[in-house]
Amino acid sequence: MAAATDERNFKVIGTRPIRHDGVDKVTGRARYGADYAFPDMLHGKMLRSPYAHARIKSIKVDKALALPGVKAVVTSADFPELPDKMEAAGEAPVNLAHLSENLMARDKVLYDGHAIAAVAATSPHIAEEAVKLIEVEYEVLPPAMTVEDAMKPGAPIINPKLRNKEEGDKPTNVAAHIQFKRGAVEAGFKEADFIVEREFRTAMVHQGYLEPHNAVAIYNADGKSTIYTSTQGSFAVRALASAVAGVPETSLKVVPAEIGGGFGGKLTIYLDPIALVLSKKTGHPVKMVMSRADVLRATGPTSGSTIRCKMGCTRDGKLTAAEIWMAYEAGAYPGSPVGAGAMTIIAPYNIPNMIIDAYDVVVNRPKTAAYRAPGATNAAMASETIIDELAEKCGIDPIEFRLKNAVKEGDPQTAGPPYKRIGFIETLEAIKNSPHYKSKLEGPNRGRGVASGFWFNVGMNSSAVVNLNADATASLVIGSVDVGGTRAAQAMVAAEVLGIKAEDVRPSVADTDTIGYTDMTGGSRTAVTTGAAVFMAAEDAVRQLKERAAKRWEVKPEEVAYQDGVLSCGDKRMTIKEMAAQFARTGGPISGRASINLRSVGPSFATVCVDVEVDTDTGKVKILRATCAQDVGKALHPSYVEGQMQGGTAQGIGWALNEEYVYDDRGNLRNFGLLDYRMPTCLDLPQIETIIVEVPAPGHPIGSRGVGEVNIVPPPAAVANAIARATGVRMTELPMSPPRLLKALLKKRGSADTQVAAAGR
Amino acid sequence: MAAHGDKARALCGGTDLIIQMRAGVRRPEYVVDLKNIAALRQISFSMQHGLRLGAAVPAIEIHENADMRRYYPGLTEAAHLIGSLQIQSRASVGGNLCNGSPAADTIPALIAVAAKARVIGPQGERLVPVEEFCTAPGRTVLQPDEILIEFQIPTPAPHSSDAYQRFIPRNEMDIAVVGVGAAITLDPADDRCVAARIALGAVGPTPIFAREAAAALVGKRLDEASIDNAARAATAASSPIDDMRGTAEFRRHVVGVLTRRVVKLAAERARVAQSR
Amino acid sequence: MSKKVVVETTINGEATEFLCEPRQSLLEVLRDELELTGSKEGCLTGDCGACTVIINGRPTCSCLVLGVEAQGKKIDTIEGLARPEGLHVLQRKFLEHAALQCGICTPGFLMSAKALLDRNPSPTEAEIRYALAGNLCRCTGYDKIVRAVIDAANTLSGARAA
């Protein structure tokens, strides 16, 4: 269902062709990173720290090396020391020292699972046995596991070199303090009739992609090397892996294998340079594949957080002020998404007076990585539940309350210029008018919750090549890896411009030597920026077609029209098929190209409505119904857009109810498997309804906005709001697992004062 | 098994053992596959002799067996809760018991129906009541040279039935945070409980046979008061710990909740069970 | 480490013989020895279902089966699902319904769904969800997968009725 109409008349965009890589993926033929094998290939395995925080006193590898079948062992001594400062490497500035140490610990291990050494052997079993023979002497140090622990005076210092601007030369665990301010906060709260203030905690959670990280590296005798890996960004792997391994960036070719899910977690690297150095040392191809335990212990989850949020509104539901303090776990090295959290937490609303203080805090947990709208979901859990509570206090429907305060074109963003045309109000209207919201929800312990979310898009760099074949089909070459329908969507863009069928475009995802520089599949940018590049590359091909026709008809190229695969000028007509067949006689092959840097793209909003039923004897929540409305600008392939909305909603529900990292008091991760890291199964979710809202993004050739991320932002708050309406209990901690919810329910039941959980805690 | 003693470990479905070997939790030098022994793969039921359930029968075959569903619905639903269908294709009740996990779903259900485990070894054979089988987490009375052959379970008395429920955070694929099995026999004349057995899982170092909980029901009508007493006794019999799957406080509460639910369910089934 | 063992089995209808170490799982044998890499490794603990194959008609996690246990068994993998004349109806419906995004879980889902439809040609949605509960998908939220299996079942029963 499209809530906004689009006057443009697309022929291919907006249809639902079979995806081009589909048959490979339903027959088992698609090659993911772990499916690659080469003659004489060795298998690499990693030794990982059993301690959350310890100094490495010595590492002895001779017993491991003596095991028959073992070909090499590497430690941090085999990798160059890199500068401890932010440097441009690939798509964004990176602290290469932190990156390198995260992949192979140098003096200290900073989390349970931190890599210490790697072995290459003739079989994975031998490599595993050898790992157990490496002897490491540790001096165990006390860990700091939470932002509260790490910010306390006298907390164990995790990275002795870390400083922040405010504390001068004092060692600290606070990597950064970011502040946003507007208006006069105190005065704003004076205008308020209702104020709600609460403190929230959200647990560290993992992206949970089903495919563990992998890499196969081949270092050749001529100094050239190749890495096959499942990644969201092959050029990022090239930049980062070459730096960590100490080889020239362009001596390395990265071949992006099919990728079994990423959600942001495969934007950075873990195994690639390790496998490369092992390959260099042994002269063999080396394959490394993580176990699930390695994935959970040592790859980047997203931050757990503590957020104190205070908001006020007038009796008639106008927000007057917000005061927010937020601290996010960065993991062992700086770089939590707290900045994004701060910029998104009240982004959907016009609040004249606000102050946001945000802290990036290192803790003895794995270095966090991006996870679908990083930082925004934690933040929305706080702001969107408080909005709901304010609406309840005002006696206003939660959607009406949001409509009263919703941002639109021209309103200020939290940081930066005013919004251009956006579709937040349209997502609210879509939910308000949905069959779901209009339906009656009856029965005991049932409740309906609504929440909204905001997320940016990034533009960045993309390249595309469109080659026209003699039969008027085309090949399309892109550098954006296909995590969930990219090939199909991009082929549709090319087909739209060329006036041919989507099936007649054959898309390929190319390696770093075959296509121009292309940034990662992430940041909701692929459909948008690569889409624009493909659009322009196809236009380039059309321009060449017109030039050919103009030459032949002896007219100016501007006089030639092209529509639906037909070139025309006056009464002269020629089909693309006829022209393509003659390319050799009319000036050679036709190949369109575009390499672009897209700066301004349209952000996206989503609103989610959830119905729940609470088992008040056990605290277990059943999701009865869920609907997601999202502004996608223009849906390229609606089925895969719906899939993104459903997938993000499902991940958000998992985050809401059961997913969390559980550490013991020594800092060891307890639930490092998929039995106890509980992602939703298909029995835990209802059918997830979707409403595609299309408010075209200004300045984009198709009007696309990113569709991949914002859908995860609202669900935890929506579920919390539904629980509140079902039971009267306001939950402030994620996940809202049965033990937590039952405790809150029993507390409420045991207390005569039902206001015990109200404002001002 | 006799030749290699504690260097050997029996394999049935492998859904615990293979994971434990991979994680280095158990490191047997020899793995002996028992599931091709015919005696371990049989289900036979008769009104005269009761049930003989082979130790290696995969859970899925238990659920597909009409006698099992009819006469032992609680044990059958417990077997049907062990993991996914992919796991149930392999996992067996014998393996579930010998693995010795306090959270095993089938053990409280077996105790409720008064199952005895038939064990043989070089010294001969013995019958062990299931409530005496587990000695500590991961440990059982089974000697290294012994194997579990089958379960012998009496024919349900007239007007009796059983039930098993567990609490898990998701709706499938989890290990029980609390499990409760109950078997109830009623007097059809006045609906009084004439016999009961209640067992608890995941709330102590081994599955717990909660005799006091059952005693609270015997001779009584199954009304809110008597069931509440049984629930309180079950809670008192439990000794749970905090772990990543739930807190002790949560488990104590849920033992009571599930005891109420399971006793009611078993009683409902007993009321409609044909007199046999 | 002990000596390799010869195992005789049937894979996708073909008599197959392979050598494996007793400690190797069936998943390892399929992927590394027989180059049947369509079965995927997601967890090695039986919790994700990406390695699901059908053994003697039952869906099974191949990561929890030893290679040596394949002796004398009949094993079906994703590579055997399509026929020379075309895709299996489940494969077709997965494509039509966009029931896959990254695709890593897809072979496991298809094998679980096939095992279900082979035994129960007209399952309810609840039965489908139960049969697929051992397969994790992180991309789709399961909705389109469930629709695809419902549609495949309807197509199959339509074909039988005709």
PDB file of all heavy atoms in Angstrom, chain A residues 214-226:
ATOM      1  N   ASN A 214      34.470 -14.566   7.950  1.00  0.00           N
ATOM      2  CA  ASN A 214      35.367 -15.472   7.246  1.00  0.00           C
ATOM      3  C   ASN A 214      36.320 -14.685   6.378  1.00  0.00           C
ATOM      4  O   ASN A 214      36.038 -13.531   6.038  1.00  0.00           O
ATOM      5  CB  ASN A 214      34.552 -16.435   6.373  1.00  0.00           C
ATOM      6  CG  ASN A 214      33.628 -15.656   5.438  1.00  0.00           C
ATOM      7  OD1 ASN A 214      34.081 -14.925   4.568  1.00  0.00           O
ATOM      8  ND2 ASN A 214      32.316 -15.782   5.650  1.00  0.00           N
ATOM      9  N   ALA A 215      37.426 -15.304   6.027  1.00  0.00           N
ATOM     10  CA  ALA A 215      38.362 -14.699   5.075  1.00  0.00           C
ATOM     11  C   ALA A 215      39.259 -15.795   4.532  1.00  0.00           C
ATOM     12  O   ALA A 215      39.694 -16.678   5.273  1.00  0.00           O
ATOM     13  CB  ALA A 215      39.213 -13.628   5.744  1.00  0.00           C
ATOM     14  N   VAL A 216      39.507 -15.750   3.230  1.00  0.00           N
ATOM     15  CA  VAL A 216      40.535 -16.591   2.630  1.00  0.00           C
ATOM     16  C   VAL A 216      41.545 -15.639   2.003  1.00  0.00           C
ATOM     17  O   VAL A 216      41.173 -14.796   1.174  1.00  0.00           O
ATOM     18  CB  VAL A 216      39.966 -17.527   1.542  1.00  0.00           C
ATOM     19  CG1 VAL A 216      41.068 -18.437   1.006  1.00  0.00           C
ATOM     20  CG2 VAL A 216      38.806 -18.345   2.078  1.00  0.00           C
ATOM     21  N   ALA A 217      42.792 -15.745   2.425  1.00  0.00           N
ATOM     22  CA  ALA A 217      43.828 -14.836   1.914  1.00  0.00           C
ATOM     23  C   ALA A 217      44.864 -15.628   1.140  1.00  0.00           C
ATOM     24  O   ALA A 217      45.253 -16.740   1.535  1.00  0.00           O
ATOM     25  CB  ALA A 217      44.499 -14.103   3.066  1.00  0.00           C
ATOM     26  N   ILE A 218      45.286 -15.058   0.019  1.00  0.00           N
ATOM     27  CA  ILE A 218      46.353 -15.667  -0.786  1.00  0.00           C
ATOM     28  C   ILE A 218      47.405 -14.590  -1.036  1.00  0.00           C
ATOM     29  O   ILE A 218      47.129 -13.593  -1.698  1.00  0.00           O
ATOM     30  CB  ILE A 218      45.815 -16.194  -2.140  1.00  0.00           C
ATOM     31  CG1 ILE A 218      44.627 -17.133  -1.914  1.00  0.00           C
ATOM     32  CG2 ILE A 218      46.930 -16.885  -2.913  1.00  0.00           C
ATOM     33  CD1 ILE A 218      43.967 -17.604  -3.199  1.00  0.00           C
ATOM     34  N   TYR A 219      48.577 -14.793  -0.448  1.00  0.00           N
ATOM     35  CA  TYR A 219      49.688 -13.862  -0.672  1.00  0.00           C
ATOM     36  C   TYR A 219      50.585 -14.488  -1.725  1.00  0.00           C
ATOM     37  O   TYR A 219      51.063 -15.604  -1.557  1.00  0.00           O
ATOM     38  CB  TYR A 219      50.457 -13.634   0.632  1.00  0.00           C
ATOM     39  CG  TYR A 219      51.547 -12.600   0.493  1.00  0.00           C
ATOM     40  CD1 TYR A 219      51.280 -11.251   0.732  1.00  0.00           C
ATOM     41  CD2 TYR A 219      52.840 -12.968   0.107  1.00  0.00           C
ATOM     42  CE1 TYR A 219      52.275 -10.298   0.598  1.00  0.00           C
ATOM     43  CE2 TYR A 219      53.832 -12.017  -0.036  1.00  0.00           C
ATOM     44  CZ  TYR A 219      53.548 -10.682   0.212  1.00  0.00           C
ATOM     45  OH  TYR A 219      54.528  -9.734   0.063  1.00  0.00           O
ATOM     46  N   ASN A 220      50.794 -13.774  -2.820  1.00  0.00           N
ATOM     47  CA  ASN A 220      51.606 -14.329  -3.900  1.00  0.00           C
ATOM     48  C   ASN A 220      53.060 -13.910  -3.771  1.00  0.00           C
ATOM     49  O   ASN A 220      53.366 -12.878  -3.175  1.00  0.00           O
ATOM     50  CB  ASN A 220      51.072 -13.848  -5.258  1.00  0.00           C
ATOM     51  CG  ASN A 220      50.050 -14.816  -5.822  1.00  0.00           C
ATOM     52  OD1 ASN A 220      49.898 -15.929  -5.322  1.00  0.00           O
ATOM     53  ND2 ASN A 220      49.369 -14.389  -6.856  1.00  0.00           N
ATOM     54  N   ALA A 221      53.935 -14.695  -4.414  1.00  0.00           N
ATOM     55  CA  ALA A 221      55.376 -14.435  -4.327  1.00  0.00           C
ATOM     56  C   ALA A 221      55.755 -13.072  -4.910  1.00  0.00           C
ATOM     57  O   ALA A 221      56.784 -12.509  -4.567  1.00  0.00           O
ATOM     58  CB  ALA A 221      56.144 -15.550  -5.047  1.00  0.00           C
ATOM     59  N   ASP A 222      54.935 -12.518  -5.776  1.00  0.00           N
ATOM     60  CA  ASP A 222      55.256 -11.206  -6.355  1.00  0.00           C
ATOM     61  C   ASP A 222      54.797 -10.048  -5.466  1.00  0.00           C
ATOM     62  O   ASP A 222      54.840  -8.890  -5.874  1.00  0.00           O
ATOM     63  CB  ASP A 222      54.633 -11.073  -7.748  1.00  0.00           C
ATOM     64  CG  ASP A 222      53.117 -11.205  -7.728  1.00  0.00           C
ATOM     65  OD1 ASP A 222      52.544 -11.370  -6.640  1.00  0.00           O
ATOM     66  OD2 ASP A 222      52.507 -11.136  -8.802  1.00  0.00           O
ATOM     67  N   GLY A 223      54.328 -10.370  -4.269  1.00  0.00           N
ATOM     68  CA  GLY A 223      53.896  -9.309  -3.363  1.00  0.00           C
ATOM     69  C   GLY A 223      52.455  -8.881  -3.571  1.00  0.00           C
ATOM     70  O   GLY A 223      51.952  -8.027  -2.860  1.00  0.00           O
ATOM     71  N   LYS A 224      51.801  -9.465  -4.541  1.00  0.00           N
ATOM     72  CA  LYS A 224      50.379  -9.154  -4.746  1.00  0.00           C
ATOM     73  C   LYS A 224      49.542 -10.156  -3.953  1.00  0.00           C
ATOM     74  O   LYS A 224      49.907 -11.337  -3.866  1.00  0.00           O
ATOM     75  CB  LYS A 224      50.011  -9.275  -6.233  1.00  0.00           C
ATOM     76  CG  LYS A 224      50.856  -8.415  -7.146  1.00  0.00           C
ATOM     77  CD  LYS A 224      50.359  -6.994  -7.173  1.00  0.00           C
ATOM     78  CE  LYS A 224      51.040  -6.222  -8.286  1.00  0.00           C
ATOM     79  NZ  LYS A 224      51.521  -4.909  -7.819  1.00  0.00           N
ATOM     80  N   SER A 225      48.433  -9.693  -3.443  1.00  0.00           N
ATOM     81  CA  SER A 225      47.622 -10.629  -2.675  1.00  0.00           C
ATOM     82  C   SER A 225      46.134 -10.418  -2.936  1.00  0.00           C
ATOM     83  O   SER A 225      45.719  -9.379  -3.466  1.00  0.00           O
ATOM     84  CB  SER A 225      47.938 -10.503  -1.179  1.00  0.00           C
ATOM     85  OG  SER A 225      47.967  -9.157  -0.801  1.00  0.00           O
ATOM     86  N   THR A 226      45.372 -11.442  -2.550  1.00  0.00           N
ATOM     87  CA  THR A 226      43.926 -11.432  -2.774  1.00  0.00           C
ATOM     88  C   THR A 226      43.247 -11.938  -1.509  1.00  0.00           C
ATOM     89  O   THR A 226      43.719 -12.895  -0.892  1.00  0.00           O
ATOM     90  CB  THR A 226      43.544 -12.364  -3.948  1.00  0.00           C
ATOM     91  OG1 THR A 226      44.315 -11.995  -5.077  1.00  0.00           O
ATOM     92  CG2 THR A 226      42.061 -12.269  -4.274  1.00  0.00           C
TER      93      THR A 226
END
